[in-house]
Amino acid sequence: MNATLTSPQSQTPTLRNGSHRVSYLTPLANILETADGYVLEAEMPGVNKDGLEVTVENRELTIIGRRAMTERNGREVYRESPASDYRRTFELDPSIDTAKVTAKMEQGLLTLHLAKAESVKPRRIAVNG
Amino acid sequence: MSITRYQTPELSNWSSFDRLASFRDEVNRLFDFSWPSRDSGLFSGWSPALDVSDDKDAIFVNVELPGMKKEEINLTLHNGALTVSGERKQERAAEEGETFRSERYFGKFQRSVTLPAAVDASKVSASYKDGILTVELPKAEEAKPKQIEVGVS
C-alpha cells in the first residue's frame, strides 16, 4: 500500500486487549410526519438492498447498512469516504403500527414509511339529532 | 479564442477538521445523535466525500451522492481537473408534513480534483449506482507507464 490517505472515520480503534471495536457511522436522517404516518429517510451511500437490515424490536427501530463489496480499482491515491458500515437506532412512537413498515432503497437513500395505527388517526364522529 | 478567465473551482478541503469529524462520530455513537457532518456543510456547504484511485490504464474518481437523480449531476473536465457539481432538490411531498429531524443537505454542491495524470477526454465514462458516482478516466497514451529496454553491454 502506498500513498494511502484514509479518513479518520474508517479507522477502527484498537482496545488495550487487542480486540477491535466495531465502529459504525451514523447515517444522516430526515423524519417528517404525514397525515397517515411518518417518513424516515437515511443516507447510506454504497449500500444496496442486499446489505440493508431493518429491524423493529420493543418499539426500537434499528437500521444497519453494510456496504456492497465494490472492487476498488487499482491503487488508492486519495480517500475521503469512510469504509465503515452504517447503524442507527430510533425510538418509535407508540402510535406507530410496527406491522406496517415499508422500506425502499434507492441510490443509497433508504426511505421508510411508518404508518400510524388506525386507532390514533383523527376520526370524525357523526352527531345524531 | 475565448478570453473568459477560467474560475478555479473552490476546493473546500478542511482536512484540519477531520479530527473534529472523528470526534463527532464518537459523540454520535455514544448518544445516537447526529451532529451536522462534514457533508452537511457546517463550514463550506455540502462537500460530498470523494475518492481517487488509479491503475496503469485509467484514473477512477468516486463521489458519494446518496439519493440523487443522475440528471442532477454534472461533470466537467478542464485543464486536467475534474469537477463534479449538481443540486439535490427536496421532493415536494417532503415539504408538506411536519419535520421532526432534518439532517440531510439539500442544495448545490461542487467538488473538484486535479487528476494525477493526463487523460483522454474523449473516453471518459461515468456511472451512478447505490448513491455513488464512479467516473472512469482512461489515461492518455503519453501518461501510461512504458517499459524501456536498456541494453547492458
Side-chain angles (χ1 to χ4, degrees):
Chain A
M1 298 285 279
N2 38 27
T4 315
L5 237 157
T6 46
S7 98
Q9 290 108 304
S10 63
Q11 290 163 5
T12 310
T14 309
L15 299 181
R16 209 165 289 159
N17 61 10
S19 69
H20 286 276
R21 190 179 68 203
V22 182
S23 67
Y24 287 105
L25 280 169
T26 306
L28 294 178
N30 276 13
I31 303 174
L32 358 120
E33 187 177 9
T34 60
D36 51 2
Y38 299 87
V39 178
L40 190 159
E41 295 172 323
E43 289 187 358
M44 297 187 281
V47 177
N48 60 30
K49 70 180 203 312
D50 300 324
L52 191 68
E53 204 178 293
V54 181
T55 49
V56 180
E57 200 184 343
N58 296 331
R59 308 230 66 93
E60 247 187 21
L61 172 80
T62 304
I63 301 167
I64 294 174
R66 296 189 174 85
R67 285 168 189 273
M69 291 304 285
T70 47
E71 62 236 72
R72 292 241 160 212
N73 300 298
R75 172 181 70 108
E76 222 166 64
V77 180
Y78 177 69
R79 177 149 188 188
E80 292 173 354
S81 75
S84 326
D85 292 333
Y86 303 90
R87 186 181 189 279
R88 193 160 181 185
T89 306
F90 298 91
E91 198 184 319
L92 295 180
D93 192 83
S95 69
I96 292 168
D97 185 348
T98 54
K100 285 187 199 160
V101 178
T102 57
K104 188 178 79 174
M105 192 68 183
E106 217 168 47
Q107 293 291 11
L109 180 69
L110 170 72
T111 308
L112 288 178
H113 287 270
L114 307 154
K116 284 181 196 165
E118 287 300 325
S119 58
V120 298
K121 282 185 190 166
R123 197 176 310 173
R124 187 180 286 272
I125 294 162
V127 180
N128 297 319
Chain B
M1 189 178 142
S2 156
I3 51 159
T4 318
R5 185 164 162 261
Y6 177 69
Q7 289 233 289
T8 312
E10 296 155 34
L11 263 173
S12 45
N13 207 340
W14 293 85
S15 57
S16 57
F17 285 112
D18 280 2
R19 225 174 267 273
L20 191 65
S22 145
F23 169 71
R24 185 205 63 226
D25 279 353
E26 285 292 295
V27 173
N28 286 352
R29 198 182 56 77
L30 281 170
F31 297 106
D32 193 26
F33 166 78
S34 207
W35 282 355
S37 78
R38 181 196 54 195
D39 307 351
S40 69
L42 187 56
F43 306 110
S44 56
W46 183 24
S47 172
L50 183 147
D51 301 340
V52 182
S53 61
D54 78 342
D55 61 19
K56 65 177 173 42
D57 297 319
I59 300 165
F60 303 90
V61 177
N62 289 355
V63 189
E64 290 195 336
L65 297 167
M68 290 192 65
K69 292 183 182 68
K70 64 178 197 285
E71 302 79 36
E72 294 169 343
I73 304 168
N74 301 313
L75 279 169
T76 54
L77 189 62
H78 186 91
N79 277 355
L82 176 77
T83 300
V84 183
S85 62
E87 185 173 2
R88 186 161 66 184
K89 296 186 182 81
Q90 190 144 21
E91 281 170 37
R92 188 165 290 277
E95 289 163 4
E96 286 163 9
E98 192 188 337
T99 305
F100 281 81
R101 203 180 267 275
S102 183
E103 297 163 358
R104 299 185 59 218
Y105 185 88
F106 293 98
K108 288 179 181 164
F109 71 90
Q110 178 172 292
R111 287 302 311 266
S112 278
V113 65
T114 304
L115 299 170
V119 296
D120 187 341
S122 62
K123 288 182 188 153
V124 176
S125 62
S127 66
Y128 182 49
K129 187 173 172 279
D130 298 337
I132 295 180
L133 174 77
T134 303
V135 189
E136 184 177 343
L137 307 114
K139 287 183 183 173
E141 277 310 317
E142 67 268 23
K144 286 184 188 171
K146 282 181 191 73
Q147 195 143 15
I148 298 159
E149 294 283 335
V150 181
V152 182
S153 54

